Amino acid sequence: SAAISACEKGQLWLEAIALLRTIQDRRLEPTLISFNAAISACEKAGQWECALQLLTELLHSNMQADIISFNAAISACEKGDKW
């Protein structure tokens, strides 16, 4: 989670996604914080499609999205003029 959050702050959205996928590939369970950081990284980069894809994955997981998840996805859509 900390590494993904660092990527978010550095606007390294591709790296954030890669770290999230690495967690999943190792059959580990990403946390809500990991998902939110990755969604926020996409949002900051204006990658609305990626943000929505991650939100969809989160909604289909055993975790429950929170206000941070939804706000980041909405903001990504706004930045991509998809709102």
Side-chain angles (χ1 to χ4, degrees):
S1 293
I4 296 173
S5 293
C7 291
E8 172 203 350
K9 288 173 181 47
Q11 297 184 350
L12 302 170
W13 70 278
L14 284 172
E15 290 81 354
I17 301 297
L19 286 169
L20 185 66
R21 297 298 178 231
T22 298
I23 292 169
Q24 294 169 322
D25 289 346
R26 293 185 180 179
R27 307 219 190 283
L28 300 171
E29 188 73 31
T31 64
L32 178 60
I33 294 169
S34 299
F35 266 102
N36 284 347
I39 294 168
S40 292
C42 293
E43 175 260 325
K44 286 179 173 54
Q47 298 294 321
W48 64 273
E49 291 170 313
C50 183
L52 291 181
Q53 179 183 351
L54 290 173
L55 180 62
T56 300
E57 287 180 34
L58 176 57
L59 293 172
H60 286 103
S61 75
N62 62 353
M63 290 175 278
Q64 189 169 7
D66 63 7
I67 193 159
I68 296 169
S69 315
F70 291 111
N71 281 345
I74 289 167
S75 182
C77 291
E78 177 186 21
K79 287 182 179 177
D81 289 331
K82 299 299 178 188
W83 183 246

